């Protein structure tokens, strides 16, 4: 996953997440890349500021001061999101794929669930039309701080 800092011709800045550099170029060339603020297709990559996120490696960069701030707030947002999911979603652990399917086919109560699934299981769920969202990992374990 590559995160690019992007800017439109009206100088709106935003982030774009791409599978790889090719996907960015493809979307840009085919006009799929739009500014979320004004809808402009004139979107360019801001040079030199880019992050590559791989799993749990979303760590603040120690070299760049301002980037560190940006990364810190991203972590907070991610943490809040995880907190929300933890509070409002029923934890089914490794039975996630099984439960998601049961709910999808009406064999279990419709509810929000969370848990763990292998990449293979997630693929299978998608093929069956079951909606599942993969969360990025929590940047740090908040439970240890409580
Ligand atoms: Zn714009």
């Amino acid at each position: 996953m590559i995160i690019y800092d992007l800017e439109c011709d009206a100088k709106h800045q935003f982030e774009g997440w791409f599978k790889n550099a090719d996907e960015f170029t493809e979307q840009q060339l085919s006009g799929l890349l739009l500014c979320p603020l004004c809808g402009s297709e004139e979107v360019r990559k801001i040079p030199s500021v880019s992050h590559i996120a791989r799993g749990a490696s979303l760590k603040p960069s120690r070299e760049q001061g301002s980037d560190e701030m940006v990364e810190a707030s991203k972590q907070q947002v991610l943490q809040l999101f995880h907190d929300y999911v933890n509070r409002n979603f029923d934890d089914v652990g490794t039975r996630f794929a099984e439960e998601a399917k049961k709910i999808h086919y009406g064999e279990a109560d419709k509810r929000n669930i969370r848990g763990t699934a292998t990449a293979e299981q997630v693929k299978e769920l998608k093929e069956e039309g079951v909606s599942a969202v993969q969360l990025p990992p929590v940047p740090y374990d908040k439970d240890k701080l409580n």
Side-chain angles (χ1 to χ4, degrees), residues 25-57:
T25 312
E26 250 170 57
Q27 289 197 13
Q28 194 183 32
L29 291 178
S30 50
L32 292 171
L33 209 53
L34 301 177
C35 168
L37 298 169
C38 68
S40 168
E41 287 180 23
E42 297 296 318
V43 172
R44 66 184 186 90
K45 190 164 68 185
I46 303 172
S48 83
V49 192
S50 63
H51 315 275
I52 295 179
R54 270 201 206 98
S57 67

Side-chain angles (χ1 to χ4, degrees), residues 92-109 111 113-118 121-122 124-125 128 130 132:
V92 295
T94 53
R95 289 185 299 110
F96 179 80
E98 198 186 317
E99 283 298 313
K101 275 189 218 174
K102 275 191 194 162
I103 292 168
H104 183 71
Y105 292 111
E107 292 162 19
D109 289 340
R111 66 198 197 281
I113 57 169
R114 64 187 170 91
T116 52
T118 62
Q121 286 173 323
V122 171
E124 216 181 283
L125 289 174
E128 297 197 29
V130 181

Side-chain angles (χ1 to χ4, degrees), residues 7-14 35-40:
E7 186 184 80
C8 78
D9 53 349
K11 301 256 181 264
H12 297 129
Q13 295 189 356
F14 54 96
C35 168
L37 298 169
C38 68
S40 168

Side-chain angles (χ1 to χ4, degrees), residues 14-31:
F14 54 96
E15 273 183 356
W17 293 55
F18 305 93
K19 273 197 292 254
N20 50 46
D22 286 349
E23 194 189 64
F24 166 77
T25 312
E26 250 170 57
Q27 289 197 13
Q28 194 183 32
L29 291 178
S30 50

